[in-house]
Amino acid sequence: MRDIRSDKLTLTWIRPRGGFFSNVLALPIKDSGDCLHSGDAVKFVQKIGSVLMFSPQSFLMRSCAMLCLAFCLVACGGSGSGPTATTVPGEQTPPAAGAVVLKAPVLSFNDTGLDVTDGVTSNGRWGVESQGIDWEFSLDQGITWTRGYGGSFEVKGDGAKMIWVRARDNAGNTSEIVRVNCVLDTTPPAAVAISGQSEGVTNTFKLSGIEPGARWEYSLDEQRSWSAGKGSALGALGNGLSRVWLRQVDMAGNNSAAQGFDLQNPSVVSHEASGDPLQPSILASGLQTYLIHGVVVRGDADYVRWDIPKGQQLMSVKLVQYVSEDAVSFYALQPNRVFDAGVDVSRMLVYGHMGPGDLARNVLSTLPKSKLGEGAMTLWFQQTGSQPTRYAIEVILSAAD
């Protein structure tokens, strides 16, 4: 007697000791421990069918044979798979490779460049969200694959990168391939070449050697913060700042070495802006980025004029430095060669208070561009309190839209 088992059934096989069934069921039947093979079952039926086909017992025997064959096929999983096929109760057999399409992973990376959509970056680390499924990546368009671990991987070596990523399980099933491109650039640009000169009462710093797609920046607080410049030079007028730093930033966000310039050096023009509204100090023409800086106190106002050439417009006017115990100063802009509006605000383009809370705020942001085009513009800046106030205002021009 032997048990024949499937996942849900158990059959006790009994070999009779005598009589007709003893002769029929004496057929040698191979089994490898757990399962009766369907090949043996077929031989069993064939032997039954060859015995006394016209005997009264033939119908019964054929019926018995068919039942035995059906049981063997069910118990052994269809046609059988030979001696190595074993089914463990409760175990789920993984699907064959290619039978399942997995959900594709989601990629993310930190584009450190000036344009966060161009894929030029100094950071080669990519984040991978795969919802707990294993994943792998290829850097040679799928010729070779590297298994990923955790939630990220890093590409190295400057240059263009074509990155493929897909999910993969232990059965060999994969997801659709996620294809991304980036340009990795980890090399800082060279320091810009700077030539300084004076044009009237404006100190001009002309920059050269700026990489294609790069920008230049300046710092007024010993490199703690940086502001982007426009054009190819910086013009500075006043007597409030002590030092300015200049550098370039390439497309990937790499910074060059910074160069500092002492604005208190005797070779640099230190000019106190005019206190006469009808004779304002004048910024040098032909530049796009200016710094107006000075120190004001009650009874001491600064008036500075610049000219917006044809084809350009005033892009922004921002407070970029403010040092005073008095948090409130006053400013106004009049579109004129002199500031003769007095206190008539209807003749002013913009006016209001300025203080620490206004740092980096563009006071022109709500104005239509039609009012910012060609012509003269004069600034009035004043502190009405008794506390000295050191300030710096950035003026930027751009091409007209």
Side-chain angles (χ1 to χ4, degrees), residues 79-389:
S79 60
S81 56
T84 59
T86 302
T87 302
V88 179
E91 181 180 9
Q92 296 297 317
T93 303
V100 176
V101 178
L102 304 177
K103 186 173 182 179
V106 177
L107 302 186
S108 62
F109 84 115
N110 179 21
D111 191 332
T112 62
L114 303 184
D115 182 347
V116 296
T117 64
D118 63 3
V120 181
T121 182
S122 62
N123 186 349
R125 184 168 297 279
W126 286 79
V128 182
E129 295 181 15
S130 61
Q131 298 184 348
I133 304 173
D134 290 341
W135 54 274
E136 56 190 4
F137 65 94
S138 173
L139 302 179
D140 55 13
Q141 301 181 58
I143 298 174
T144 59
W145 291 88
T146 301
R147 183 176 180 180
Y149 295 93
S152 65
F153 66 97
E154 185 175 6
V155 294
K156 298 182 179 180
D158 286 6
K161 306 295 180 183
M162 183 176 293
I163 303 168
W164 291 11
V165 181
R166 67 185 181 186
R168 183 183 183 92
D169 64 17
N170 291 333
N173 299 300
T174 59
S175 70
E176 294 182 359
I177 297 173
V178 180
R179 296 172 173 86
V180 293
N181 298 297
C182 73
V183 176
L184 184 62
D185 179 4
T186 61
T187 305
V192 292
I194 303 171
S195 61
Q197 63 185 52
S198 298
E199 298 182 33
V201 292
T202 304
N203 293 295
T204 302
F205 302 94
K206 295 184 178 180
L207 299 90
S208 59
I210 298 176
E211 292 186 357
R215 75 180 182 202
W216 62 271
E217 298 178 334
Y218 68 88
S219 174
L220 304 179
D221 56 6
E222 299 300 321
Q223 305 183 63
R224 289 189 295 274
S225 62
W226 293 87
S227 300
K230 199 169 184 64
S232 59
L234 171 66
L237 181 154
N239 63 344
L241 295 173
S242 58
R243 184 182 297 272
V244 60
W245 292 84
L246 298 169
R247 71 179 185 183
Q248 72 165 315
V249 181
D250 67 16
M251 291 179 64
N254 300 298
N255 307 321
S256 72
Q259 300 179 68
F261 291 86
D262 184 4
L263 299 181
Q264 303 299 322
N265 190 292
S267 63
V268 176
V269 174
S270 178
H271 172 74
E272 182 174 357
S274 171
D276 183 350
L278 301 180
Q279 292 182 327
S281 298
I282 301 174
L283 286 165
S285 62
L287 307 181
Q288 290 183 266
T289 304
Y290 297 96
L291 287 175
I292 301 169
H293 57 103
V295 180
V296 291
V297 70
R298 178 186 295 163
D300 175 25
D302 284 354
Y303 295 92
V304 178
R305 188 190 95 204
W306 61 90
D307 295 315
I308 305 167
K310 184 177 181 179
Q312 294 193 0
Q313 64 187 17
L314 188 56
M315 179 178 173
S316 64
V317 174
K318 299 178 182 178
L319 181 69
V320 292
Q321 187 179 89
Y322 191 94
V323 180
S324 177
E325 294 183 13
D326 191 332
V328 179
S329 293
F330 179 83
Y331 81 97
L333 288 175
Q334 182 182 357
N336 197 14
R337 296 177 61 84
V338 297
F339 199 97
D340 59 1
V343 293
D344 184 358
V345 296
S346 66
R347 299 179 61 193
M348 301 175 189
L349 181 68
V350 288
Y351 64 92
H353 290 139
M354 265 192 176
D358 299 297
L359 286 167
R361 179 176 68 89
N362 181 10
V363 300
L364 308 176
S365 60
T366 61
L367 296 179
K369 293 180 179 179
S370 60
K371 293 187 175 183
L372 305 176
E374 179 183 1
M377 191 70 66
T378 302
L379 168 72
W380 169 24
F381 191 86
Q382 182 170 342
Q383 170 60 265
T384 58
S386 60
Q387 299 296 326
T389 298

Side-chain angles (χ1 to χ4, degrees), residues 1-5 10-15 29-36:
M1 177 168 57
R2 183 182 296 276
D3 287 346
I4 303 173
R5 301 178 184 272
T10 299
L11 173 67
T12 301
W13 189 268
I14 304 175
R15 294 178 185 266
I29 297 176
K30 297 178 295 179
D31 85 66
S32 55
D34 295 320
C35 187
L36 183 68

